[in-house]
């Protein structure tokens, strides 16, 4: 009933949008709401990119990647024509060998001559093996892409060098005297990543037959546009499968944020899994390179083309992080390692998602639609969201606005100043006289209120979405740093690949620790997930008992406000997975939580949960003591959330394998707590004075320069404050929409 009602409102919205633009809704080109427009875009994409009939498979890669050999194998398997650009196009056009032509005309002229020869060539239904230099000629690559899919053979550099040496090939196009072959091949990657549709990530020493198998799987995946779908955690099989639009593509899950039935979007199928050899191939990769390869496996190119995804990842992590390694791992003591997730512009782990997610969001939303992104924050998310969306280009800022709701008295003074100071032309902060749970519940209720969402569409042409971790596009990038941290331990020689590790994560909304679960599903050998709670330890109690009980509980304000949460949204995703995707059970449990403030899972699910999870909580006194003792022992300052995790790791981890403790924020954001823990006399200083005082201690990690530089301006800006009433929050949303889009 709810679904049909929302459908009706969308149809009304379409007609209203047509009238607003003076078009007849029966004859003009429809301006669709998000879900329908995305479906039409995917249908169009499929019709133009499907590899059937006359389309070509185009193999691209550096010299020595094995394109010619792999092409011949594919031709035999598919029973189609095989064209080698070197042998079948260039040498026949020029009546001389490629090496003779290169020697005759030189590097620059060779590229032009090569490009002209390819532009005069056409084929269909063939396997085409490019030269290593074809991607350097733009016009010829566009010519080839019109009728085919470009598959990039991403072969380890050491394999390429060995093959070139065995071929006695000592010079390639663009190589000047004295330029090492490996440097030239590395520089070529900027051209390859611009053109490929699918990447085949090759293991060290992979045979041509194995690479050909991967190419066929990549092409099959490319064709299967609707194979990677998402369902709601409250999806009820087989009842819901009869309903139209019961499954979503990545773009729809991202832009809608929350499912219409109140559930959260999850992949319908299993997470993609990398082989050990593939993981080992990432050991020497940068964070950006790891992110691209892993996210390509999780996002279908119909939603975000690989080349565009690469641009987004570069924009997110290339320059916005103070540390070039983005999320480095630091040895603390014994078997404990700190995963530093605070080097982004706002100093918290939320930056690892929210520098990327806005770019994905802007790409995926349909044209001619305005979006209002609603965010509830317990401290760090607010400034990270506002900062991330402020980096969009001007045209995207005009159609995407952000409203951040935070508990007025439930975040640190610095966090509040940072949230308020992060407001820009497309983002506003609203303080709410309540706690985070109210803010989060209010946002969810606005999504589920079809009268309200329909009104916003009809009146303002604006669709609601979310950037909390309830949004799949927010959660997915967090998988990268958990995988990357393990690879760093292997690269640094602390463990060998395949050895297990534990992870200990300060946990409130369950998103960060769930991302670690997904990293394990992709092949990272995580043994135990250690859930660390503060005094709001409902999750710890649940993991120990299977009883999620909010009765007679009130949120306690602690030194670690980002995990001052009682209603943990992402837990629903994990329970859904443990219960074999039983949407009916999720509906029952979380409706009961809403109405009765508790639920109990069956014993078999409790035992299944406890196979992977352990949990404990930390008092305020122990938190301060951990900050003090760690600084005295190592000169390293933990923020309060990381201190919570260290205390719990000390208690719960058996020291038989390394434990990676997630450090989710820079200590500068909690200067008064740190000064109290280190027994530094506080003279009623401003936030900026406190930060400068702490920076004078020359402790580890170093001061966060972005926080130091922006604190003063944060303290000057104004913001709205409202009462804890959903209708009042709706009014705030409407005002923000009016100011942004009218």
């Amino acid at each position: 009933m709810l679904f049909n009602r929302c459908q009706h409102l969308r149809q009304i919205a379409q007609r209203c949008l047509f009238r607003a633009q003076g078009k007849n809704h029966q004859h003009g080109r429809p301006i669709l709401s998000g879900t329908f427009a995305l479906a039409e875009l995917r249908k169009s994409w499929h019709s133009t990119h499907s590899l059937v009939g006359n389309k070509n498979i185009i193999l691209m890669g550096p010299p020595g990647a094995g394109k010619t050999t792999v092409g011949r194998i594919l031709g035999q398997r598919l029973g189609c024509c095989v064209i080698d650009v070197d042998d079948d196009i260039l040498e026949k056009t020029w009546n001389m060998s490629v090496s003779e032509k290169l020697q005759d005309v030189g590097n620059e002229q060779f590229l032009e001559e090569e490009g002209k020869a390819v532009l005069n060539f056409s084929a269909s239904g063939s396997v085409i093996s490019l030269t290593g230099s074809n991607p350097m000629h733009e016009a010829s690559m566009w010519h080839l892409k019109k009728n085919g899919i470009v598959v990039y053979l991403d072969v380890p550099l050491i394999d390429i060098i060995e093959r070139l040496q065995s071929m006695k090939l000592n010079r390639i196009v663009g190589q000047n005297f004295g330029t090492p072959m490996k440097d030239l091949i590395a520089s070529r990657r900027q051209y390859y990543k611009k053109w490929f549709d699918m990447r085949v990530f090759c293991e060290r020493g992979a045979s041509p037959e194995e690479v050909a198998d991967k190419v066929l799987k990549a092409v099959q995946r490319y064709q299967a546009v609707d194979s990677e779908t998402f369902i709601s955690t409250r999806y009820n099989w087989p009842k819901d499968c009869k309903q139209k639009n019961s499954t979503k593509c990545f773009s729809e899950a991202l832009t809608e944020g929350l499912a219409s039935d109140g559930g959260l979007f999850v992949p319908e199928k299993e997470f993609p899994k990398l082989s050990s050899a593939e993981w080992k191939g990432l050991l020497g990769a940068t964070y950006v390179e790891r992110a691209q390869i892993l996210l390509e496996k999780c996002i279908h190119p119909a939603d975000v083309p690989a080349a565009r995804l690469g641009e987004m990842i570069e924009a997110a992590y290339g320059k916005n992080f103070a540390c070039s390694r983005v999320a480095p791992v630091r040895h603390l003591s014994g078997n404990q390692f700190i995963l530093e997730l605070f080097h982004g512009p706002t100093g918290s782990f939320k930056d690892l998602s929210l520098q990327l997610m806005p770019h994905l969001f802007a790409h995926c939303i349909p044209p001619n639609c305005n979006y209002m992104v609603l965010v509830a924050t317990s401290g760090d998310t607010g400034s990270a969201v506002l900062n991330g969306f402020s980096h969009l280009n001007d045209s995207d800022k005009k159609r995407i606005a952000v409203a951040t709701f935070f508990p007025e008295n439930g975040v640190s003074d610095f966090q509040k100043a940072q949230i308020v100071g992060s407001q820009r032309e497309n983002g506003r902060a609203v303080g709410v006289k309540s706690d985070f749970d109210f803010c989060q519940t209010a946002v969810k209720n606005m999504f589920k209120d079809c009268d309200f969402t329909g009104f916003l569409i009809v009146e303002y042409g604006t669709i609601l979405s979310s950037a909390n971790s309830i949004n799949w596009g927010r959660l997915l990038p967090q998988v990268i740093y958990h995988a990357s941290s393990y690879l760093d331990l292997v690269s640094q020689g602390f463990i060998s690949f395949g050895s297990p590790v534990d992870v200990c994560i300060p946990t409130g909304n369950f998103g960060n620790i769930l991302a670690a679960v997904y990293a394990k599903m992709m092949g990272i050998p995580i043994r135990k997930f250690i859930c660390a709670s503060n005094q709001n330890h409902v999750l710890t109690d649940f993991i120990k008992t299977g009883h999620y009980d909010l009765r007679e509980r009130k949120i306690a304000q602690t030194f670690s406000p980002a995990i001052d949460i009682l209603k943990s949204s992402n837990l629903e995703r994990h329970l859904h997975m443990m219960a074999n995707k039983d949407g009916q059970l999720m509906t029952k449990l979380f409706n009961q939580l809403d109405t009765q403030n508790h639920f109990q899972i069956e014993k078999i699910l409790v035992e299944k949960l406890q196979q992977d999870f352990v949990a404990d909580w930390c008092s305020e006194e122990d938190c301060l003591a951990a900050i003090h003792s760690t600084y005295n022992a190592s000169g390293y300052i933990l923020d309060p959330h990381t201190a919570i995790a260290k205390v719990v790791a000390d208690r719960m981890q058996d020291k038989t394998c390394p434990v990676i403790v997630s450090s989710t924020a820079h200590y500068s954001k909690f200067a008064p707590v740190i000064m109290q823990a280190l027994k530094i006399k506080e003279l009623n200083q401003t936030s900026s004075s406190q930060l400068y005082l702490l920076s004078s201690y020359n402790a580890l990690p170093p001061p966060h320069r972005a926080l130091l530089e922006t604190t003063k301006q944060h303290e000057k800006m104004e913001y709205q404050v409202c009462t804890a009433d959903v209708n009042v929050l709706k009014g705030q949303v409407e005002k923000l929409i009016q100011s942004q889009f009218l």
Side-chain angles (χ1 to χ4, degrees), residues 194-233:
K194 178 179 180 179
W195 297 111
F196 73 93
D197 297 302
M198 295 295 288
R199 181 201 305 263
V200 168
F201 186 54
C202 303
E203 301 98 326
R204 172 83 168 94
S207 69
E209 290 77 12
E210 290 171 329
V211 176
D213 287 339
K214 287 196 165 195
V215 171
L216 291 175
K217 288 179 181 177
V219 172
Q220 185 179 32
R221 181 189 174 210
Y222 189 85
Q223 288 178 292
V225 177
D226 295 321
S227 64
E228 298 176 20
T229 52
F230 291 77
I231 57 172
S232 168
T233 49

Side-chain angles (χ1 to χ4, degrees), residues 393-503:
N393 61 45
D394 290 340
S395 61
D396 286 333
K397 286 180 186 177
K398 290 177 182 177
R399 61 195 189 117
I400 304 171
V402 181
T404 295
F405 298 100
F406 66 93
E408 170 66 10
N409 297 312
V411 297
S412 74
D413 289 343
F414 181 87
Q415 285 177 313
K416 183 189 292 187
Q418 191 179 30
I419 292 168
V420 172
S422 296
Q423 296 177 109
R424 295 294 183 270
E425 67 269 25
N426 66 328
R428 290 290 179 266
V430 179
V432 182
K433 295 180 180 179
S434 187
D435 54 36
F436 170 76
D437 283 343
F438 172 82
C439 295
Q440 182 166 250
T441 301
V443 167
K444 285 184 175 182
N445 286 340
M446 281 190 265
F447 276 105
K448 292 188 288 186
D449 186 342
C450 278
D451 286 333
F452 181 60
T453 57
F455 166 75
L456 295 180
I457 293 172
V458 171
E459 189 71 20
Y460 304 111
T462 299
I463 301 168
L464 294 184
S465 190
S466 172
N468 280 101
S469 59
I470 60 174
N471 189 311
W472 182 254
R474 231 306 289 286
L475 183 61
L476 180 60
Q478 295 180 248
V479 178
I480 309 305
Y481 58 71
H482 287 299
S484 186
S485 65
Y486 180 85
L487 295 175
D488 283 347
L489 285 190
V490 177
S491 297
Q492 294 168 24
F494 289 106
I495 56 174
S496 58
F497 189 88
S499 301
V501 296
D502 293 339
V503 295

Side-chain angles (χ1 to χ4, degrees), residues 502-503 513 517 520 526-531 543 574 577-578 606-614:
D502 293 339
V503 295
I513 203 165
V517 173
K520 181 175 182 177
I526 298 173
R527 185 183 65 163
K528 288 288 185 182
F529 304 94
I530 304 173
C531 173
I543 290 168
H574 190 64
M577 180 171 61
M578 285 202 317
V606 178
E607 292 172 349
K608 196 171 181 179
L609 179 66
Q610 292 173 350
Q611 287 175 5
D612 294 320
F613 280 78
V614 295

Side-chain angles (χ1 to χ4, degrees), residues 288-473:
V288 167
E289 290 167 343
R290 291 169 181 172
Q292 175 143 15
I293 287 169
L294 296 180
L295 290 176
E296 281 173 16
K297 291 181 177 292
C298 299
I299 302 173
H300 196 281
D303 292 292
V304 185
R308 182 72 187 99
L309 178 61
E311 293 171 358
M312 295 178 193
I313 293 169
E314 286 280 0
Y317 305 124
K319 297 180 180 178
N320 295 333
F321 284 74
C323 177
S324 61
R325 291 160 56 200
V326 181
V329 178
R330 186 188 296 269
H331 182 225
L332 185 62
S333 63
N335 71 323
Q336 289 187 352
F337 296 82
I338 296 290
L339 172 56
E340 295 183 344
L341 299 173
F342 47 69
H343 292 289
T346 69
S348 87
F349 79 104
K350 307 298 175 70
D351 290 324
L352 274 298
S353 283
L354 285 164
Q355 288 299 301
L356 176 61
M357 186 260 189
H359 296 288
L360 292 169
F361 188 87
H363 175 85
C364 289
I365 63 174
N368 304 316
C369 288
N370 295 329
Y371 275 79
M372 171 58 75
V373 178
L374 303 184
V375 179
T377 179
S378 56
D380 293 325
T381 299
S383 55
V385 169
L386 291 167
N387 182 282
F389 278 90
S390 73
H391 292 156
L392 295 176
N393 61 45
D394 290 340
S395 61
D396 286 333
K397 286 180 186 177
K398 290 177 182 177
R399 61 195 189 117
I400 304 171
V402 181
T404 295
F405 298 100
F406 66 93
E408 170 66 10
N409 297 312
V411 297
S412 74
D413 289 343
F414 181 87
Q415 285 177 313
K416 183 189 292 187
Q418 191 179 30
I419 292 168
V420 172
S422 296
Q423 296 177 109
R424 295 294 183 270
E425 67 269 25
N426 66 328
R428 290 290 179 266
V430 179
V432 182
K433 295 180 180 179
S434 187
D435 54 36
F436 170 76
D437 283 343
F438 172 82
C439 295
Q440 182 166 250
T441 301
V443 167
K444 285 184 175 182
N445 286 340
M446 281 190 265
F447 276 105
K448 292 188 288 186
D449 186 342
C450 278
D451 286 333
F452 181 60
T453 57
F455 166 75
L456 295 180
I457 293 172
V458 171
E459 189 71 20
Y460 304 111
T462 299
I463 301 168
L464 294 184
S465 190
S466 172
N468 280 101
S469 59
I470 60 174
N471 189 311
W472 182 254

Side-chain angles (χ1 to χ4, degrees), residues 176-298:
N176 297 314
F177 180 77
T179 304
M181 187 74 76
K182 64 177 183 180
D183 292 346
L184 181 61
I185 292 171
S187 69
R188 286 272 187 91
R189 288 181 177 172
Q190 63 179 306
Y191 299 103
Y192 300 142
K193 67 185 182 182
K194 178 179 180 179
W195 297 111
F196 73 93
D197 297 302
M198 295 295 288
R199 181 201 305 263
V200 168
F201 186 54
C202 303
E203 301 98 326
R204 172 83 168 94
S207 69
E209 290 77 12
E210 290 171 329
V211 176
D213 287 339
K214 287 196 165 195
V215 171
L216 291 175
K217 288 179 181 177
V219 172
Q220 185 179 32
R221 181 189 174 210
Y222 189 85
Q223 288 178 292
V225 177
D226 295 321
S227 64
E228 298 176 20
T229 52
F230 291 77
I231 57 172
S232 168
T233 49
R234 303 184 190 184
Y235 178 87
N236 183 11
W237 176 269
K239 178 183 175 183
D240 287 347
C241 70
K242 298 176 182 178
Q243 291 188 358
K244 188 177 180 181
N245 295 323
S246 57
T247 61
K248 306 288 183 181
C249 65
F250 173 84
S251 296
E252 292 167 334
L254 173 65
T255 55
E256 292 181 27
L258 189 70
S260 59
D261 58 11
L264 307 182
F265 288 117
V266 290
E268 190 172 13
K269 298 179 181 177
E270 296 296 322
F271 251 80
K273 189 167 185 177
L274 279 70
S275 67
S276 295
E278 287 176 317
W279 282 117
K280 289 177 182 177
L282 290 173
L283 288 175
T286 65
Y287 190 90
V288 167
E289 290 167 343
R290 291 169 181 172
Q292 175 143 15
I293 287 169
L294 296 180
L295 290 176
E296 281 173 16
K297 291 181 177 292
C298 299

